[in-house]
Amino acid sequence: MGVPARLTGWRGRSRIAQVDSYMRWTLYLLPFVFPLSAAPTLLGETGGGRGLSQLLSVLSLGQCVLGVGLLRRSLEHYRLKRPAPWRRIVLAGVLQMVTLAVLVVLVQGDGITHATARGTALLSGGLTFFGALSLLAARVRTYLLWCLVGGPLAGLAVLPLGGRAAGAVVVAFMIWFLALWSLSTVRTTGWVLAVMWEAEAARAVQARLAVAEERLRFSRDVHDVLGRNLTVIALKSELAGQLARRGSPAAVEQMAEVQRIARDSQRDMREVVRGYREADLPTELAGARGVLGAAGIVCRVDDTVREELPPAVRSVLAWTVREGTTNVLRHAEAGRCAIRLRTADGRVELIMENDGVGGAAPKSGADGHGSSGGSGLTGLGERAVALGGTLVAERRGKGTFRVTVVLPLAPERPEPDPDPPAVVLTASPGGTS
């Protein structure tokens, strides 16, 4: 995979996935800073400890390479409850003890020469080992107990190598420092990632609940309108059938009543559907703010229109708000949405813009999703053209998508076009079409 493909893949990710990757790779690459910064000093030594210094540098770098996979699997265990990489962490612990032993031998032979460069070898391995261990521990107190006991044990382990009591104390305190530093760096990163993904999952659930609530509202209205009438129709039809079998002329009256109730139900159903289709603009603006806010999306509505708009214009604008809101909930990883409505020079303009658009080319929808051949913005564009207006949907910079509808306050009625330019879709970084 080339660099352009990787960049496209990065831009195609959601914002939460981008933050996740950034934090993870920062954590993976952080241990490499220490061996790379100390390598010129350790590899350039000319004294008797040159070989051990070079071995120390190789051990430190090896722990960094091992730490990439170790930290990745430890994060997966912490957040997703995947199997814990105990074998790798044991290997990392053994390498850390070997590094500590080599460092002790060097201090015995050369004293504190290059103590800073040589000491950094423990930082890289300590960050990977203790960081992974902090993620695998069920509780922070358990991890701290392990380190509290492990520090003195590591200090005692250097005594057979010729270390002194003071050196053992220094080692114990160094282990405690590495344990606390790794806890504040690695475990905190894992905790932040877990909280972010939990919040993202909750936002997705809220979006689905908002869409489901709208469906339930419509189904409830249909049930309230037709439920009783259909029950009456069924009873009267049954009664009419029984009267007809008896030869009673009252069967005709009952069927006439059934016909009347059916027509009334048909009229009521049309009113329900018309009320749903002919959306009211103020209601849709308030609904968009409420539904998006419930889904954790900051929605700002700037309505400067003070005059009464023609019914056809209101309907198109209201449908645009409804379609855009639905698509933001379903497809975009949005954190904000702005709706601006204003009039100027005898025209009304509605701009709806949201962020959180991935790398895919924009399609029919306020967030760049759907099918251009569907009934989303394409159908709205046809309505706008029928009124002498335009609808432009464009992909803009920084992962935003904008829908702009411009309609005349006095709607025109042009001649029908066999192939009308209903909606303009573009992926330009910031211009218009």
Side-chain angles (χ1 to χ4, degrees), residues 316 320 376-387 389-392 420-424:
V316 173
T320 303
L377 291 184
T378 299
L380 292 175
E382 293 172 354
R383 294 189 185 188
V385 170
L387 299 180
T390 60
L391 187 150
V392 176
V423 57
V424 178

mmCIF file of all heavy atoms in Angstrom, residues 316 320 376-387 389-392 420-424:
data_model
loop_
_atom_site.group_PDB
_atom_site.id
_atom_site.type_symbol
_atom_site.label_atom_id
_atom_site.label_comp_id
_atom_site.label_asym_id
_atom_site.label_seq_id
_atom_site.Cartn_x
_atom_site.Cartn_y
_atom_site.Cartn_z
ATOM 1 N N VAL A 316 -40.185 22.869 0.718
ATOM 2 C CA VAL A 316 -38.881 22.416 0.236
ATOM 3 C C VAL A 316 -37.806 22.625 1.296
ATOM 4 O O VAL A 316 -36.966 21.753 1.535
ATOM 5 C CB VAL A 316 -38.512 23.141 -1.074
ATOM 6 C CG1 VAL A 316 -37.086 22.800 -1.493
ATOM 7 C CG2 VAL A 316 -39.476 22.748 -2.184
ATOM 8 N N THR A 320 -35.668 19.752 3.273
ATOM 9 C CA THR A 320 -34.207 19.748 3.252
ATOM 10 C C THR A 320 -33.647 19.575 4.659
ATOM 11 O O THR A 320 -32.714 18.805 4.886
ATOM 12 C CB THR A 320 -33.679 21.054 2.634
ATOM 13 O OG1 THR A 320 -34.214 21.220 1.323
ATOM 14 C CG2 THR A 320 -32.163 21.043 2.564
ATOM 15 N N GLY A 376 -33.295 11.152 -1.935
ATOM 16 C CA GLY A 376 -32.824 12.105 -0.951
ATOM 17 C C GLY A 376 -32.706 13.490 -1.543
ATOM 18 O O GLY A 376 -33.692 14.137 -1.915
ATOM 19 N N LEU A 377 -31.466 13.987 -1.655
ATOM 20 C CA LEU A 377 -31.248 15.325 -2.192
ATOM 21 C C LEU A 377 -31.615 15.425 -3.663
ATOM 22 O O LEU A 377 -31.908 16.516 -4.147
ATOM 23 C CB LEU A 377 -29.783 15.719 -1.984
ATOM 24 C CG LEU A 377 -29.367 15.959 -0.530
ATOM 25 C CD1 LEU A 377 -27.927 16.424 -0.471
ATOM 26 C CD2 LEU A 377 -30.278 16.955 0.139
ATOM 27 N N THR A 378 -31.583 14.303 -4.364
ATOM 28 C CA THR A 378 -31.976 14.354 -5.774
ATOM 29 C C THR A 378 -33.430 14.778 -5.907
ATOM 30 O O THR A 378 -33.778 15.654 -6.704
ATOM 31 C CB THR A 378 -31.759 12.982 -6.432
ATOM 32 O OG1 THR A 378 -30.386 12.648 -6.347
ATOM 33 C CG2 THR A 378 -32.184 13.007 -7.886
ATOM 34 N N GLY A 379 -34.311 14.151 -5.112
ATOM 35 C CA GLY A 379 -35.719 14.539 -5.148
ATOM 36 C C GLY A 379 -35.933 15.961 -4.688
ATOM 37 O O GLY A 379 -36.751 16.704 -5.252
ATOM 38 N N LEU A 380 -35.201 16.398 -3.665
ATOM 39 C CA LEU A 380 -35.323 17.773 -3.215
ATOM 40 C C LEU A 380 -34.816 18.755 -4.262
ATOM 41 O O LEU A 380 -35.354 19.851 -4.424
ATOM 42 C CB LEU A 380 -34.548 17.957 -1.903
ATOM 43 C CG LEU A 380 -35.117 17.229 -0.679
ATOM 44 C CD1 LEU A 380 -34.190 17.405 0.503
ATOM 45 C CD2 LEU A 380 -36.503 17.743 -0.348
ATOM 46 N N GLY A 381 -33.745 18.349 -4.969
ATOM 47 C CA GLY A 381 -33.244 19.206 -6.034
ATOM 48 C C GLY A 381 -34.264 19.400 -7.136
ATOM 49 O O GLY A 381 -34.396 20.495 -7.694
ATOM 50 N N GLU A 382 -35.002 18.339 -7.446
ATOM 51 C CA GLU A 382 -36.049 18.461 -8.464
ATOM 52 C C GLU A 382 -37.143 19.416 -8.003
ATOM 53 O O GLU A 382 -37.687 20.193 -8.796
ATOM 54 C CB GLU A 382 -36.614 17.081 -8.764
ATOM 55 C CG GLU A 382 -35.604 16.149 -9.436
ATOM 56 C CD GLU A 382 -36.127 14.735 -9.555
ATOM 57 O OE1 GLU A 382 -37.228 14.462 -9.014
ATOM 58 O OE2 GLU A 382 -35.454 13.898 -10.181
ATOM 59 N N ARG A 383 -37.489 19.357 -6.714
ATOM 60 C CA ARG A 383 -38.479 20.298 -6.201
ATOM 61 C C ARG A 383 -37.970 21.733 -6.267
ATOM 62 O O ARG A 383 -38.725 22.661 -6.591
ATOM 63 C CB ARG A 383 -38.818 19.951 -4.750
ATOM 64 C CG ARG A 383 -39.515 18.616 -4.568
ATOM 65 C CD ARG A 383 -39.990 18.478 -3.127
ATOM 66 N NE ARG A 383 -40.571 17.179 -2.862
ATOM 67 C CZ ARG A 383 -41.201 16.872 -1.732
ATOM 68 N NH1 ARG A 383 -41.293 17.776 -0.765
ATOM 69 N NH2 ARG A 383 -41.709 15.658 -1.548
ATOM 70 N N ALA A 384 -36.676 21.916 -5.945
ATOM 71 C CA ALA A 384 -36.109 23.267 -5.992
ATOM 72 C C ALA A 384 -36.107 23.809 -7.412
ATOM 73 O O ALA A 384 -36.436 24.980 -7.644
ATOM 74 C CB ALA A 384 -34.694 23.256 -5.420
ATOM 75 N N VAL A 385 -35.742 22.974 -8.376
ATOM 76 C CA VAL A 385 -35.737 23.408 -9.774
ATOM 77 C C VAL A 385 -37.152 23.756 -10.236
ATOM 78 O O VAL A 385 -37.368 24.715 -10.988
ATOM 79 C CB VAL A 385 -35.124 22.299 -10.660
ATOM 80 C CG1 VAL A 385 -35.323 22.618 -12.132
ATOM 81 C CG2 VAL A 385 -33.637 22.185 -10.366
ATOM 82 N N ALA A 386 -38.136 22.990 -9.770
ATOM 83 C CA ALA A 386 -39.516 23.261 -10.150
ATOM 84 C C ALA A 386 -39.987 24.626 -9.671
ATOM 85 O O ALA A 386 -40.888 25.226 -10.256
ATOM 86 C CB ALA A 386 -40.431 22.173 -9.600
ATOM 87 N N LEU A 387 -39.360 25.131 -8.602
ATOM 88 C CA LEU A 387 -39.713 26.455 -8.089
ATOM 89 C C LEU A 387 -38.780 27.542 -8.611
ATOM 90 O O LEU A 387 -38.856 28.693 -8.153
ATOM 91 C CB LEU A 387 -39.677 26.449 -6.560
ATOM 92 C CG LEU A 387 -40.641 25.492 -5.849
ATOM 93 C CD1 LEU A 387 -40.488 25.605 -4.346
ATOM 94 C CD2 LEU A 387 -42.081 25.775 -6.257
ATOM 95 N N GLY A 389 -35.417 27.461 -8.328
ATOM 96 C CA GLY A 389 -34.270 27.602 -7.445
ATOM 97 C C GLY A 389 -33.184 26.588 -7.745
ATOM 98 O O GLY A 389 -33.204 25.899 -8.766
ATOM 99 N N THR A 390 -32.232 26.481 -6.847
ATOM 100 C CA THR A 390 -31.112 25.553 -7.007
ATOM 101 C C THR A 390 -30.828 24.876 -5.679
ATOM 102 O O THR A 390 -31.141 25.401 -4.613
ATOM 103 C CB THR A 390 -29.832 26.284 -7.471
ATOM 104 O OG1 THR A 390 -29.470 27.269 -6.494
ATOM 105 C CG2 THR A 390 -30.034 26.942 -8.826
ATOM 106 N N LEU A 391 -30.218 23.697 -5.784
ATOM 107 C CA LEU A 391 -29.745 22.977 -4.609
ATOM 108 C C LEU A 391 -28.339 22.473 -4.912
ATOM 109 O O LEU A 391 -28.132 21.766 -5.900
ATOM 110 C CB LEU A 391 -30.670 21.813 -4.253
ATOM 111 C CG LEU A 391 -30.376 21.087 -2.930
ATOM 112 C CD1 LEU A 391 -31.661 20.528 -2.333
ATOM 113 C CD2 LEU A 391 -29.372 19.957 -3.128
ATOM 114 N N VAL A 392 -27.387 22.854 -4.083
ATOM 115 C CA VAL A 392 -25.987 22.477 -4.274
ATOM 116 C C VAL A 392 -25.518 21.714 -3.034
ATOM 117 O O VAL A 392 -25.638 22.212 -1.914
ATOM 118 C CB VAL A 392 -25.087 23.710 -4.507
ATOM 119 C CG1 VAL A 392 -23.623 23.283 -4.608
ATOM 120 C CG2 VAL A 392 -25.519 24.444 -5.764
ATOM 121 N N PRO A 420 -33.755 17.434 -15.783
ATOM 122 C CA PRO A 420 -33.448 18.654 -15.028
ATOM 123 C C PRO A 420 -32.216 18.477 -14.167
ATOM 124 O O PRO A 420 -31.977 17.401 -13.624
ATOM 125 C CB PRO A 420 -34.697 18.847 -14.156
ATOM 126 C CG PRO A 420 -35.243 17.467 -13.976
ATOM 127 C CD PRO A 420 -34.926 16.732 -15.251
ATOM 128 N N PRO A 421 -31.394 19.536 -14.024
ATOM 129 C CA PRO A 421 -30.229 19.478 -13.129
ATOM 130 C C PRO A 421 -30.677 19.617 -11.687
ATOM 131 O O PRO A 421 -30.556 20.670 -11.076
ATOM 132 C CB PRO A 421 -29.381 20.671 -13.579
ATOM 133 C CG PRO A 421 -30.382 21.653 -14.090
ATOM 134 C CD PRO A 421 -31.498 20.847 -14.686
ATOM 135 N N ALA A 422 -31.235 18.535 -11.128
ATOM 136 C CA ALA A 422 -31.897 18.625 -9.832
ATOM 137 C C ALA A 422 -30.945 19.017 -8.719
ATOM 138 O O ALA A 422 -31.275 19.808 -7.869
ATOM 139 C CB ALA A 422 -32.563 17.287 -9.509
ATOM 140 N N VAL A 423 -29.767 18.426 -8.700
ATOM 141 C CA VAL A 423 -28.870 18.675 -7.587
ATOM 142 C C VAL A 423 -27.447 18.610 -8.080
ATOM 143 O O VAL A 423 -27.110 17.771 -8.920
ATOM 144 C CB VAL A 423 -29.091 17.644 -6.454
ATOM 145 C CG1 VAL A 423 -28.920 16.242 -6.953
ATOM 146 C CG2 VAL A 423 -28.145 17.911 -5.288
ATOM 147 N N VAL A 424 -26.653 19.506 -7.602
ATOM 148 C CA VAL A 424 -25.239 19.552 -7.973
ATOM 149 C C VAL A 424 -24.436 18.956 -6.832
ATOM 150 O O VAL A 424 -24.512 19.439 -5.701
ATOM 151 C CB VAL A 424 -24.788 21.000 -8.257
ATOM 152 C CG1 VAL A 424 -23.308 21.026 -8.603
ATOM 153 C CG2 VAL A 424 -25.615 21.587 -9.386
#
